[in-house]
Amino acid sequence: MSKPSRHPLITGAAILTMAGIITRFIGFFYKIFLSHTIGAEGLGIYQLVFPVYSLCFALVVSGIQTGISRCCAAAFAEKNPPKSRAYFLSGLIFSLGLSCITAFLLYQYAGPISTFLLSEKRCEPLLRLISFSIPLGTLHTCISAWYFSRNRTGIPAFSQLLEQLVRVISSYILYLIFLEKRWEPSPILAAAGILAGEMSSALFSAICILFHFQDKEYNNSPQYSLIICGKELVCLSLPLTANRLLLTILQSTESILIPGKLEHSGLTASQSLSIYGILTGMALPFILFPSAITNSVSTVLLPVISGEQALGNDKKIQEATENTIKYCLLLGIFATGIFFFFGKSLGTLVYGNEDAGTFIRTLSFLCPFLYLTGTLSSILNGLGHTGLCFLQNAIGLAIRILFVMICIPRYGITGYLWGILISQLVITTLNLYFVHSKVNFSLDPFSWIIVPAASLIISCAAATALFRILSHLTSIPGLITLLGAMVVCAVVYMGCLVITGLCKFRFIEKL
């Protein structure tokens, strides 16, 4: 009996999902460790450098990454491996050169950036340290993009896991050194972890691809000019980079404004940084945890869609789009129930912080829209409609910045949470409209929304009842009781989906 064929989207996404889940699981303990060692204020300072860090990466590699993935996927669809290697090498050389210049400038001007842009002088040593990780991260990202174009997700998945492990271990070793020297732990521990993690993943990825390029299929004639391929790649990547850069500037503006506007609401500078750290370093990682699945699907979707478009397979693009929407909604609806019913307990038991629990519960309604948007944007990018992705994201960020400017001074952090919810709803609506205008897919609201919502009510009712009974009748630690209730919720929810036919056993077996 022959083995059933494995779809590259399912196989690749499954590998990335497993690595993503393990990575985020480790990341949870890492965030708990940081929250207890450097505190909420230190976590806020650490999170404050990420807008600058993200801006640098958007400049040097965001467009090139997508360009490498698309161009190499098209070359492989045409059975032309030497051309794919030429695209990769030209993109890598260009982005590495740009990343070295960016890293040098960030190191030189870390002081003014911290003082005048971030309004927090304590960010300076963190910026200087992470500047060294920019070329390393660029190398790692370009290599991963090439592997994604081949639907070979094992190397990127393992490098992602390796990066997280090294980051956590190196931070913990530094923490022990600080204790031995009787120094006060500071956010520099986390910044050093970023550098160590990027160094390990870059080295591992480089060794893998050097061995991979020894295959004969990449050395057979014809040979392609790196300059010609580089020009084509840069022409494709420039609009992508410009879009990503503008979006990152808006995101950075939003992040930098939040602590200052919280001060205008009546909080002190220390309280503002603490609230910012709780939101971005404690609550959002929980909300984004299930996106390990959707991010994996998004990463694999782009080259798959590009390859199918090059071959003219509109039917497969339609099928991939419909399955993406269906399973993102199933996951998003389930995550909403978990975080709404158990969010407060998660914040209290995991971080010992009631504000974190409140934020998790409020942001739970983001989940269906957040997970759906990432995958649909990947489909648009795969089809070459990057301008539409930029437009919808720019509108969403503009809405959030307006809420930061107007609502935070009057209503505090609650005003910003409202802005996140409204902007994500607008982005998802636009995303569905744009994708539907390019791909003739069909929606089934009853099966994909109403039935999962009813299943969610049943599963959450059973899990909540179990959680309350165990909390009052047994001496089991609260966190274990909570995890048990969430597992029961997941099992009942999945059982309801199987009974209603929304999730078939064959699909579960493939996963």
Side-chain angles (χ1 to χ4, degrees), residues 59 136 140 155 174 203-204 228 273 323 326 335 378 490 496:
L59 175 64
L136 298 169
H140 172 216
I155 299 299
L174 280 176
L203 180 61
F204 170 76
I228 294 175
L273 283 172
N323 284 328
K326 173 185 174 181
S378 188
C496 291

Side-chain angles (χ1 to χ4, degrees), residues 7-9 73 148 151 300-309 317 320:
H7 194 283
L9 179 60
F148 290 141
N151 293 317
V300 180
L301 260 179
L302 193 149
V304 168
I305 294 296
S306 297
E308 299 297 348
Q309 186 185 37
I317 295 175

